[in-house]
Amino acid sequence: MPLALEHIRRMRGGAQSHLMRCDDGHYYVVKFRNNPQHSRILANELLGTRMAARLGLPVPPAAVV
């Protein structure tokens, strides 16, 4: 699980996500638990992304930061 080291900037859009630099040297667009879209949006998106990857669809890798 990558550890966020630095906040880079806030992203546009209704999800209020943020671009973060993590300890593995990669940058991640991170959403937080107080997301205004819905309380279950984080779990839904993680599950949906992982299911799509298992089906061979082109999706970006998902990780818990």
Side-chain angles (χ1 to χ4, degrees):
M1 177 171 22
L3 177 66
L5 298 177
E6 179 183 9
H7 177 266
I8 305 299
R9 69 180 172 96
R10 188 173 184 182
M11 305 299 286
R12 295 186 313 192
Q16 297 181 355
S17 54
H18 296 259
L19 181 64
M20 309 289 275
R21 183 178 62 86
C22 293
D23 64 348
D24 62 358
H26 293 95
Y27 291 84
Y28 293 84
V29 175
V30 178
K31 292 183 179 181
F32 297 94
R33 286 191 301 184
N34 60 348
N35 190 303
Q37 290 178 324
H38 195 273
S39 60
R40 292 186 300 250
I41 192 70
L42 298 178
N44 292 345
E45 288 185 359
L46 181 62
L47 179 63
T49 301
R50 290 198 173 162
M51 286 174 58
R54 294 277 288 186
L55 291 170
L57 297 173
V59 293
V64 176
V65 175

